[in-house]
Amino acid sequence: LPQLTGNLQAWFINRDGARIGNTLWDTFGNTSSPGQHLSWALIDPVAAGSNEDIINAILQDQAWIAVVSE
């Protein structure tokens, strides 16, 4: 089976910037465990824009999924 999940871009936007957001990023960004993983990228909240901008980016196939920590 080809590893397909590594080809799926996933965004994590940490608007919280504190303990909860950092803990979530540690969980999402940890690809050291065995198995398939999404290609998670930590996106700067300012660059990501509004929630509507993020939704539009998903609809335009810029990423497959986005998780926003607020």
Short mmCIF file of all heavy atoms in Angstrom, two decimals:
data_model
loop_
_atom_site.label_atom_id
_atom_site.label_comp_id
_atom_site.label_asym_id
_atom_site.label_seq_id
_atom_site.Cartn_x
_atom_site.Cartn_y
_atom_site.Cartn_z
N LEU A 1 0.84 -1.19 0.00
CA LEU A 1 0.00 0.00 0.00
C LEU A 1 0.88 1.25 0.00
O LEU A 1 1.74 1.40 0.84
CB LEU A 1 -0.84 0.05 1.27
CG LEU A 1 -2.16 -0.69 1.33
CD1 LEU A 1 -2.83 -0.44 2.67
CD2 LEU A 1 -3.07 -0.37 0.22
N PRO A 2 0.64 2.16 -0.90
CA PRO A 2 1.40 3.42 -0.86
C PRO A 2 0.98 4.27 0.33
O PRO A 2 -0.16 4.22 0.78
CB PRO A 2 1.03 4.09 -2.18
CG PRO A 2 -0.26 3.50 -2.58
CD PRO A 2 -0.30 2.10 -1.99
N GLN A 3 1.90 5.02 0.83
CA GLN A 3 1.59 5.90 1.96
C GLN A 3 0.96 7.17 1.41
O GLN A 3 1.64 8.04 0.90
CB GLN A 3 2.83 6.22 2.77
CG GLN A 3 2.51 7.05 3.98
CD GLN A 3 3.72 7.26 4.87
OE1 GLN A 3 4.77 6.72 4.64
NE2 GLN A 3 3.55 8.08 5.87
N LEU A 4 -0.35 7.27 1.54
CA LEU A 4 -1.08 8.41 0.97
C LEU A 4 -1.18 9.58 1.94
O LEU A 4 -1.25 10.73 1.51
CB LEU A 4 -2.48 7.96 0.56
CG LEU A 4 -2.54 6.87 -0.51
CD1 LEU A 4 -3.98 6.45 -0.75
CD2 LEU A 4 -1.89 7.33 -1.79
N THR A 5 -1.20 9.32 3.23
CA THR A 5 -1.44 10.42 4.17
C THR A 5 -0.32 11.44 4.16
O THR A 5 -0.56 12.60 4.44
CB THR A 5 -1.64 9.89 5.60
OG1 THR A 5 -0.51 9.11 5.97
CG2 THR A 5 -2.91 9.09 5.71
N GLY A 6 0.90 11.06 3.86
CA GLY A 6 2.01 12.00 3.82
C GLY A 6 1.85 13.03 2.72
O GLY A 6 2.49 14.07 2.73
N ASN A 7 0.99 12.76 1.75
CA ASN A 7 0.75 13.68 0.65
C ASN A 7 -0.36 14.68 0.97
O ASN A 7 -0.62 15.57 0.18
CB ASN A 7 0.38 12.91 -0.62
CG ASN A 7 1.51 12.03 -1.08
OD1 ASN A 7 2.67 12.37 -0.93
ND2 ASN A 7 1.17 10.90 -1.65
N LEU A 8 -1.04 14.51 2.09
CA LEU A 8 -2.14 15.39 2.45
C LEU A 8 -1.63 16.50 3.36
O LEU A 8 -1.18 16.25 4.48
CB LEU A 8 -3.26 14.61 3.13
CG LEU A 8 -3.91 13.51 2.30
CD1 LEU A 8 -4.92 12.73 3.13
CD2 LEU A 8 -4.56 14.08 1.05
N GLN A 9 -1.70 17.72 2.87
CA GLN A 9 -1.24 18.88 3.63
C GLN A 9 -2.26 19.19 4.73
O GLN A 9 -3.45 19.32 4.47
CB GLN A 9 -1.08 20.09 2.71
CG GLN A 9 -0.58 21.33 3.37
CD GLN A 9 0.86 21.24 3.84
OE1 GLN A 9 1.62 20.39 3.44
NE2 GLN A 9 1.23 22.13 4.72
N ALA A 10 -1.78 19.32 5.94
CA ALA A 10 -2.63 19.64 7.09
C ALA A 10 -2.04 20.87 7.78
O ALA A 10 -0.83 20.95 7.98
CB ALA A 10 -2.68 18.46 8.05
N TRP A 11 -2.89 21.80 8.13
CA TRP A 11 -2.45 23.04 8.77
C TRP A 11 -2.85 23.06 10.23
O TRP A 11 -3.96 22.67 10.59
CB TRP A 11 -3.09 24.25 8.11
CG TRP A 11 -2.63 24.56 6.73
CD1 TRP A 11 -1.63 23.93 6.02
CD2 TRP A 11 -3.14 25.56 5.88
NE1 TRP A 11 -1.51 24.51 4.79
CE2 TRP A 11 -2.43 25.51 4.67
CE3 TRP A 11 -4.14 26.50 6.01
CZ2 TRP A 11 -2.69 26.37 3.62
CZ3 TRP A 11 -4.40 27.37 4.96
CH2 TRP A 11 -3.67 27.30 3.77
N PHE A 12 -1.97 23.56 11.07
CA PHE A 12 -2.30 23.85 12.46
C PHE A 12 -2.04 25.33 12.67
O PHE A 12 -0.92 25.80 12.47
CB PHE A 12 -1.45 23.01 13.43
CG PHE A 12 -1.85 23.22 14.86
CD1 PHE A 12 -2.92 22.54 15.39
CD2 PHE A 12 -1.17 24.12 15.66
CE1 PHE A 12 -3.32 22.74 16.71
CE2 PHE A 12 -1.55 24.34 16.97
CZ PHE A 12 -2.63 23.64 17.50
N ILE A 13 -3.07 26.06 13.05
CA ILE A 13 -2.97 27.50 13.30
C ILE A 13 -3.15 27.72 14.79
O ILE A 13 -4.23 27.49 15.33
CB ILE A 13 -4.01 28.29 12.47
CG1 ILE A 13 -3.77 28.08 10.97
CG2 ILE A 13 -3.95 29.78 12.78
CD1 ILE A 13 -4.76 27.20 10.32
N ASN A 14 -2.10 28.17 15.45
CA ASN A 14 -2.12 28.34 16.90
C ASN A 14 -2.36 29.81 17.25
O ASN A 14 -1.44 30.58 17.45
CB ASN A 14 -0.80 27.85 17.50
CG ASN A 14 -0.81 27.87 19.01
OD1 ASN A 14 -1.80 28.25 19.64
ND2 ASN A 14 0.30 27.49 19.61
N ARG A 15 -3.62 30.19 17.30
CA ARG A 15 -3.97 31.57 17.71
C ARG A 15 -3.93 31.72 19.21
O ARG A 15 -3.89 32.83 19.72
CB ARG A 15 -5.37 31.92 17.17
CG ARG A 15 -5.39 32.08 15.68
CD ARG A 15 -6.69 32.68 15.22
NE ARG A 15 -6.65 32.86 13.79
CZ ARG A 15 -7.63 32.58 12.98
NH1 ARG A 15 -8.78 32.14 13.45
NH2 ARG A 15 -7.51 32.77 11.69
N ASP A 16 -3.97 30.62 19.92
CA ASP A 16 -3.91 30.62 21.38
C ASP A 16 -2.52 31.04 21.84
O ASP A 16 -2.38 31.88 22.72
CB ASP A 16 -4.27 29.22 21.88
CG ASP A 16 -4.05 29.03 23.37
OD1 ASP A 16 -4.43 29.92 24.13
OD2 ASP A 16 -3.50 27.99 23.75
N GLY A 17 -1.48 30.45 21.26
CA GLY A 17 -0.10 30.79 21.60
C GLY A 17 0.27 30.49 23.03
O GLY A 17 1.31 30.93 23.51
N ALA A 18 -0.56 29.75 23.73
CA ALA A 18 -0.30 29.44 25.13
C ALA A 18 -0.29 27.92 25.32
O ALA A 18 -0.12 27.17 24.37
CB ALA A 18 -1.36 30.11 26.02
N ARG A 19 -0.49 27.52 26.54
CA ARG A 19 -0.36 26.11 26.91
C ARG A 19 -1.23 25.17 26.09
O ARG A 19 -0.75 24.14 25.61
CB ARG A 19 -0.68 25.96 28.39
CG ARG A 19 -0.39 24.62 28.94
CD ARG A 19 -0.48 24.67 30.45
NE ARG A 19 -1.09 23.44 30.91
CZ ARG A 19 -1.64 23.31 32.09
NH1 ARG A 19 -1.71 24.33 32.91
NH2 ARG A 19 -2.14 22.17 32.45
N ILE A 20 -2.49 25.49 25.91
CA ILE A 20 -3.39 24.59 25.17
C ILE A 20 -2.96 24.48 23.71
O ILE A 20 -2.82 23.37 23.18
CB ILE A 20 -4.85 25.05 25.30
CG1 ILE A 20 -5.32 24.87 26.74
CG2 ILE A 20 -5.75 24.28 24.34
CD1 ILE A 20 -6.69 25.40 27.04
N GLY A 21 -2.75 25.60 23.06
CA GLY A 21 -2.34 25.57 21.67
C GLY A 21 -1.00 24.87 21.48
O GLY A 21 -0.83 24.09 20.53
N ASN A 22 -0.06 25.12 22.37
CA ASN A 22 1.26 24.48 22.27
C ASN A 22 1.17 22.97 22.50
O ASN A 22 1.84 22.20 21.82
CB ASN A 22 2.24 25.12 23.25
CG ASN A 22 2.53 26.56 22.90
OD1 ASN A 22 2.39 26.99 21.75
ND2 ASN A 22 2.91 27.34 23.89
N THR A 23 0.32 22.56 23.44
CA THR A 23 0.13 21.13 23.70
C THR A 23 -0.52 20.45 22.50
O THR A 23 -0.12 19.35 22.10
CB THR A 23 -0.73 20.91 24.96
OG1 THR A 23 -0.06 21.51 26.07
CG2 THR A 23 -0.96 19.44 25.23
N LEU A 24 -1.51 21.11 21.91
CA LEU A 24 -2.14 20.54 20.72
C LEU A 24 -1.14 20.41 19.58
O LEU A 24 -1.10 19.40 18.89
CB LEU A 24 -3.33 21.40 20.28
CG LEU A 24 -4.58 21.29 21.16
CD1 LEU A 24 -5.60 22.35 20.76
CD2 LEU A 24 -5.17 19.90 21.06
N TRP A 25 -0.30 21.43 19.38
CA TRP A 25 0.71 21.34 18.31
C TRP A 25 1.68 20.19 18.58
O TRP A 25 2.06 19.46 17.68
CB TRP A 25 1.47 22.65 18.14
CG TRP A 25 2.62 22.48 17.20
CD1 TRP A 25 3.94 22.62 17.49
CD2 TRP A 25 2.57 22.10 15.82
NE1 TRP A 25 4.71 22.35 16.39
CE2 TRP A 25 3.89 22.02 15.34
CE3 TRP A 25 1.53 21.79 14.94
CZ2 TRP A 25 4.20 21.67 14.04
CZ3 TRP A 25 1.84 21.44 13.63
CH2 TRP A 25 3.16 21.39 13.19
N ASP A 26 2.07 20.02 19.85
CA ASP A 26 2.95 18.90 20.18
C ASP A 26 2.31 17.57 19.78
O ASP A 26 2.98 16.66 19.32
CB ASP A 26 3.27 18.88 21.68
CG ASP A 26 4.23 19.98 22.10
OD1 ASP A 26 4.89 20.57 21.21
OD2 ASP A 26 4.31 20.25 23.30
N THR A 27 0.99 17.48 19.94
CA THR A 27 0.26 16.25 19.58
C THR A 27 0.14 16.12 18.07
O THR A 27 0.47 15.08 17.50
CB THR A 27 -1.14 16.26 20.22
OG1 THR A 27 -0.99 16.35 21.64
CG2 THR A 27 -1.91 15.00 19.85
N PHE A 28 -0.33 17.15 17.39
CA PHE A 28 -0.54 17.08 15.95
C PHE A 28 0.78 17.01 15.19
O PHE A 28 0.88 16.32 14.18
CB PHE A 28 -1.33 18.30 15.44
CG PHE A 28 -2.79 18.22 15.74
CD1 PHE A 28 -3.35 18.99 16.73
CD2 PHE A 28 -3.62 17.39 15.01
CE1 PHE A 28 -4.71 18.93 17.00
CE2 PHE A 28 -4.97 17.32 15.27
CZ PHE A 28 -5.52 18.08 16.28
N GLY A 29 1.77 17.74 15.65
CA GLY A 29 3.03 17.81 14.94
C GLY A 29 3.96 16.64 15.20
O GLY A 29 4.97 16.49 14.53
N ASN A 30 3.60 15.77 16.15
CA ASN A 30 4.47 14.64 16.49
C ASN A 30 4.28 13.52 15.49
O ASN A 30 3.26 12.85 15.48
CB ASN A 30 4.15 14.14 17.91
CG ASN A 30 5.03 12.98 18.31
OD1 ASN A 30 5.95 12.60 17.60
ND2 ASN A 30 4.73 12.39 19.45
N THR A 31 5.28 13.33 14.65
CA THR A 31 5.21 12.25 13.66
C THR A 31 6.24 11.17 13.95
O THR A 31 6.62 10.41 13.07
CB THR A 31 5.42 12.80 12.24
OG1 THR A 31 6.68 13.46 12.19
CG2 THR A 31 4.33 13.77 11.86
N SER A 32 6.69 11.11 15.22
CA SER A 32 7.70 10.12 15.56
C SER A 32 7.10 8.74 15.84
O SER A 32 7.83 7.76 15.85
CB SER A 32 8.51 10.59 16.78
OG SER A 32 7.67 10.72 17.90
N SER A 33 5.80 8.67 16.08
CA SER A 33 5.19 7.37 16.33
C SER A 33 5.03 6.61 15.02
O SER A 33 4.96 7.21 13.95
CB SER A 33 3.83 7.54 17.02
OG SER A 33 2.96 8.28 16.21
N PRO A 34 5.01 5.28 15.08
CA PRO A 34 4.90 4.49 13.85
C PRO A 34 3.55 4.68 13.17
O PRO A 34 2.57 5.09 13.80
CB PRO A 34 5.08 3.05 14.33
CG PRO A 34 4.85 3.07 15.79
CD PRO A 34 5.09 4.47 16.27
N GLY A 35 3.51 4.40 11.90
CA GLY A 35 2.26 4.49 11.15
C GLY A 35 2.24 5.68 10.22
O GLY A 35 3.20 6.43 10.10
N GLN A 36 1.12 5.83 9.55
CA GLN A 36 0.97 6.91 8.59
C GLN A 36 0.56 8.20 9.29
O GLN A 36 -0.11 8.18 10.30
CB GLN A 36 -0.06 6.52 7.54
CG GLN A 36 0.36 5.32 6.73
CD GLN A 36 -0.65 4.98 5.66
OE1 GLN A 36 -1.76 5.48 5.65
NE2 GLN A 36 -0.26 4.12 4.75
N HIS A 37 1.01 9.32 8.71
CA HIS A 37 0.74 10.63 9.30
C HIS A 37 0.40 11.62 8.21
O HIS A 37 0.86 11.49 7.08
CB HIS A 37 1.99 11.15 10.04
CG HIS A 37 2.48 10.24 11.11
ND1 HIS A 37 1.93 10.21 12.35
CD2 HIS A 37 3.47 9.32 11.10
CE1 HIS A 37 2.56 9.30 13.08
NE2 HIS A 37 3.50 8.75 12.34
N LEU A 38 -0.37 12.62 8.58
CA LEU A 38 -0.59 13.75 7.69
C LEU A 38 0.66 14.62 7.70
O LEU A 38 1.45 14.58 8.64
CB LEU A 38 -1.79 14.56 8.15
CG LEU A 38 -3.14 13.85 8.10
CD1 LEU A 38 -4.20 14.71 8.78
CD2 LEU A 38 -3.53 13.54 6.68
N SER A 39 0.83 15.43 6.69
CA SER A 39 1.95 16.38 6.63
C SER A 39 1.52 17.67 7.32
O SER A 39 1.02 18.59 6.69
CB SER A 39 2.34 16.66 5.18
OG SER A 39 2.84 15.52 4.57
N TRP A 40 1.68 17.72 8.65
CA TRP A 40 1.26 18.88 9.42
C TRP A 40 2.26 20.02 9.28
O TRP A 40 3.47 19.82 9.33
CB TRP A 40 1.13 18.52 10.90
CG TRP A 40 -0.10 17.72 11.19
CD1 TRP A 40 -0.17 16.37 11.35
CD2 TRP A 40 -1.42 18.22 11.31
NE1 TRP A 40 -1.47 16.01 11.57
CE2 TRP A 40 -2.27 17.12 11.55
CE3 TRP A 40 -2.00 19.49 11.25
CZ2 TRP A 40 -3.64 17.24 11.73
CZ3 TRP A 40 -3.36 19.61 11.42
CH2 TRP A 40 -4.17 18.51 11.66
N ALA A 41 1.72 21.23 9.11
CA ALA A 41 2.54 22.44 9.05
C ALA A 41 1.97 23.43 10.05
O ALA A 41 0.76 23.62 10.15
CB ALA A 41 2.49 23.04 7.64
N LEU A 42 2.85 24.06 10.81
CA LEU A 42 2.46 25.11 11.75
C LEU A 42 2.38 26.41 10.96
O LEU A 42 3.39 26.90 10.44
CB LEU A 42 3.48 25.21 12.88
CG LEU A 42 3.16 26.21 13.99
CD1 LEU A 42 1.85 25.87 14.68
CD2 LEU A 42 4.30 26.21 15.01
N ILE A 43 1.17 26.95 10.84
CA ILE A 43 0.92 28.15 10.03
C ILE A 43 0.81 29.37 10.94
O ILE A 43 0.10 29.34 11.95
CB ILE A 43 -0.37 27.98 9.21
CG1 ILE A 43 -0.33 26.71 8.36
CG2 ILE A 43 -0.65 29.20 8.35
CD1 ILE A 43 0.77 26.66 7.33
N ASP A 44 1.50 30.43 10.57
CA ASP A 44 1.43 31.69 11.32
C ASP A 44 -0.01 32.20 11.30
O ASP A 44 -0.62 32.31 10.23
CB ASP A 44 2.36 32.71 10.67
CG ASP A 44 2.30 34.07 11.31
OD1 ASP A 44 2.07 34.16 12.54
OD2 ASP A 44 2.48 35.07 10.59
N PRO A 45 -0.59 32.51 12.46
CA PRO A 45 -1.98 32.95 12.52
C PRO A 45 -2.26 34.20 11.68
O PRO A 45 -3.33 34.32 11.09
CB PRO A 45 -2.23 33.24 14.00
CG PRO A 45 -1.16 32.50 14.73
CD PRO A 45 0.00 32.40 13.79
N VAL A 46 -1.31 35.13 11.62
CA VAL A 46 -1.50 36.35 10.82
C VAL A 46 -1.54 35.99 9.34
O VAL A 46 -2.39 36.47 8.59
CB VAL A 46 -0.40 37.39 11.13
CG1 VAL A 46 -0.51 38.59 10.21
CG2 VAL A 46 -0.46 37.82 12.59
N ALA A 47 -0.63 35.12 8.92
CA ALA A 47 -0.59 34.70 7.51
C ALA A 47 -1.83 33.90 7.14
O ALA A 47 -2.30 33.97 6.00
CB ALA A 47 0.68 33.89 7.24
N ALA A 48 -2.37 33.14 8.09
CA ALA A 48 -3.55 32.31 7.82
C ALA A 48 -4.79 33.17 7.56
O ALA A 48 -5.67 32.78 6.81
CB ALA A 48 -3.80 31.35 8.99
N GLY A 49 -4.85 34.33 8.19
CA GLY A 49 -6.00 35.21 8.02
C GLY A 49 -7.16 34.81 8.91
O GLY A 49 -6.99 34.13 9.92
N SER A 50 -8.33 35.22 8.50
CA SER A 50 -9.54 34.96 9.27
C SER A 50 -9.98 33.50 9.10
O SER A 50 -9.46 32.79 8.23
CB SER A 50 -10.67 35.88 8.80
OG SER A 50 -11.05 35.53 7.47
N ASN A 51 -10.94 33.09 9.90
CA ASN A 51 -11.49 31.74 9.74
C ASN A 51 -12.07 31.56 8.35
O ASN A 51 -11.93 30.49 7.75
CB ASN A 51 -12.55 31.46 10.80
CG ASN A 51 -11.95 31.24 12.18
OD1 ASN A 51 -10.75 31.00 12.32
ND2 ASN A 51 -12.78 31.32 13.19
N GLU A 52 -12.67 32.60 7.81
CA GLU A 52 -13.21 32.53 6.45
C GLU A 52 -12.08 32.33 5.42
O GLU A 52 -12.22 31.56 4.47
CB GLU A 52 -14.00 33.79 6.12
CG GLU A 52 -14.71 33.71 4.78
CD GLU A 52 -15.61 34.91 4.52
OE1 GLU A 52 -16.24 35.40 5.46
OE2 GLU A 52 -15.67 35.34 3.36
N ASP A 53 -10.95 33.01 5.63
CA ASP A 53 -9.80 32.83 4.74
C ASP A 53 -9.31 31.38 4.78
O ASP A 53 -8.96 30.80 3.75
CB ASP A 53 -8.65 33.75 5.14
CG ASP A 53 -8.96 35.22 4.91
OD1 ASP A 53 -9.77 35.54 4.01
OD2 ASP A 53 -8.39 36.06 5.65
N ILE A 54 -9.30 30.80 5.97
CA ILE A 54 -8.85 29.41 6.13
C ILE A 54 -9.82 28.46 5.43
O ILE A 54 -9.40 27.54 4.72
CB ILE A 54 -8.68 29.06 7.62
CG1 ILE A 54 -7.57 29.91 8.24
CG2 ILE A 54 -8.41 27.57 7.81
CD1 ILE A 54 -7.54 29.90 9.75
N ILE A 55 -11.11 28.70 5.60
CA ILE A 55 -12.12 27.87 4.93
C ILE A 55 -11.93 27.96 3.42
O ILE A 55 -11.96 26.93 2.72
CB ILE A 55 -13.54 28.31 5.34
CG1 ILE A 55 -13.79 27.95 6.81
CG2 ILE A 55 -14.60 27.69 4.43
CD1 ILE A 55 -15.02 28.61 7.41
N ASN A 56 -11.73 29.16 2.91
CA ASN A 56 -11.53 29.32 1.46
C ASN A 56 -10.27 28.61 0.99
O ASN A 56 -10.25 28.03 -0.10
CB ASN A 56 -11.50 30.80 1.08
CG ASN A 56 -12.88 31.42 1.14
OD1 ASN A 56 -13.88 30.76 0.91
ND2 ASN A 56 -12.94 32.70 1.47
N ALA A 57 -9.22 28.62 1.80
CA ALA A 57 -7.98 27.93 1.43
C ALA A 57 -8.22 26.42 1.33
O ALA A 57 -7.72 25.77 0.41
CB ALA A 57 -6.88 28.23 2.45
N ILE A 58 -9.02 25.88 2.24
CA ILE A 58 -9.36 24.45 2.18
C ILE A 58 -10.18 24.17 0.93
O ILE A 58 -9.91 23.20 0.20
CB ILE A 58 -10.13 24.02 3.45
CG1 ILE A 58 -9.29 24.22 4.71
CG2 ILE A 58 -10.62 22.58 3.33
CD1 ILE A 58 -8.05 23.39 4.81
N LEU A 59 -11.15 25.01 0.66
CA LEU A 59 -12.00 24.82 -0.53
C LEU A 59 -11.21 24.93 -1.82
O LEU A 59 -11.57 24.31 -2.83
CB LEU A 59 -13.16 25.82 -0.53
CG LEU A 59 -14.20 25.63 0.58
CD1 LEU A 59 -15.20 26.78 0.58
CD2 LEU A 59 -14.89 24.29 0.44
N GLN A 60 -10.12 25.70 -1.79
CA GLN A 60 -9.27 25.86 -2.98
C GLN A 60 -8.11 24.85 -2.99
O GLN A 60 -7.15 25.00 -3.75
CB GLN A 60 -8.71 27.29 -3.02
CG GLN A 60 -9.79 28.34 -3.21
CD GLN A 60 -9.27 29.75 -2.98
OE1 GLN A 60 -8.08 29.99 -2.78
NE2 GLN A 60 -10.18 30.72 -3.00
N ASP A 61 -8.22 23.82 -2.16
CA ASP A 61 -7.24 22.73 -2.12
C ASP A 61 -5.83 23.16 -1.75
O ASP A 61 -4.86 22.52 -2.16
CB ASP A 61 -7.23 21.96 -3.44
CG ASP A 61 -8.53 21.23 -3.70
OD1 ASP A 61 -9.15 20.78 -2.71
OD2 ASP A 61 -8.93 21.12 -4.86
N GLN A 62 -5.69 24.24 -0.98
CA GLN A 62 -4.37 24.62 -0.51
C GLN A 62 -3.93 23.72 0.65
O GLN A 62 -2.74 23.57 0.91
CB GLN A 62 -4.35 26.08 -0.07
CG GLN A 62 -4.58 27.03 -1.23
CD GLN A 62 -4.63 28.48 -0.78
OE1 GLN A 62 -4.08 28.84 0.26
NE2 GLN A 62 -5.29 29.31 -1.55
N ALA A 63 -4.90 23.15 1.34
CA ALA A 63 -4.65 22.19 2.41
C ALA A 63 -5.85 21.25 2.46
O ALA A 63 -6.94 21.59 1.98
CB ALA A 63 -4.46 22.89 3.75
N TRP A 64 -5.64 20.08 3.06
CA TRP A 64 -6.70 19.10 3.16
C TRP A 64 -7.54 19.31 4.40
O TRP A 64 -8.73 19.08 4.44
CB TRP A 64 -6.10 17.69 3.13
CG TRP A 64 -7.11 16.61 3.10
CD1 TRP A 64 -7.88 16.24 2.06
CD2 TRP A 64 -7.45 15.75 4.19
NE1 TRP A 64 -8.70 15.18 2.43
CE2 TRP A 64 -8.44 14.86 3.74
CE3 TRP A 64 -6.99 15.62 5.51
CZ2 TRP A 64 -8.99 13.88 4.54
CZ3 TRP A 64 -7.55 14.65 6.31
CH2 TRP A 64 -8.54 13.79 5.82
N ILE A 65 -6.86 19.77 5.48
CA ILE A 65 -7.52 19.98 6.75
C ILE A 65 -6.80 21.11 7.48
O ILE A 65 -5.62 21.33 7.27
CB ILE A 65 -7.51 18.69 7.62
CG1 ILE A 65 -8.36 18.84 8.88
CG2 ILE A 65 -6.10 18.27 7.96
CD1 ILE A 65 -8.53 17.54 9.66
N ALA A 66 -7.54 21.81 8.35
CA ALA A 66 -6.93 22.84 9.20
C ALA A 66 -7.52 22.72 10.60
O ALA A 66 -8.73 22.51 10.76
CB ALA A 66 -7.19 24.23 8.65
N VAL A 67 -6.66 22.85 11.59
CA VAL A 67 -7.07 22.88 12.99
C VAL A 67 -6.64 24.24 13.52
O VAL A 67 -5.49 24.63 13.38
CB VAL A 67 -6.42 21.75 13.80
CG1 VAL A 67 -6.73 21.91 15.28
CG2 VAL A 67 -6.87 20.40 13.29
N VAL A 68 -7.60 24.97 14.08
CA VAL A 68 -7.33 26.30 14.62
C VAL A 68 -7.52 26.26 16.14
O VAL A 68 -8.58 25.90 16.62
CB VAL A 68 -8.27 27.36 14.00
CG1 VAL A 68 -7.98 28.74 14.57
CG2 VAL A 68 -8.16 27.36 12.49
N SER A 69 -6.47 26.61 16.85
CA SER A 69 -6.53 26.68 18.30
C SER A 69 -6.71 28.15 18.69
O SER A 69 -5.89 28.98 18.35
CB SER A 69 -5.22 26.13 18.89
OG SER A 69 -5.16 26.41 20.27
N GLU A 70 -7.81 28.42 19.39
CA GLU A 70 -8.08 29.80 19.81
C GLU A 70 -8.22 29.89 21.30
O GLU A 70 -8.62 29.02 21.95
CB GLU A 70 -9.36 30.30 19.14
CG GLU A 70 -9.17 30.40 17.66
CD GLU A 70 -10.18 31.31 16.99
OE1 GLU A 70 -10.51 32.36 17.57
OE2 GLU A 70 -10.61 30.98 15.89
#
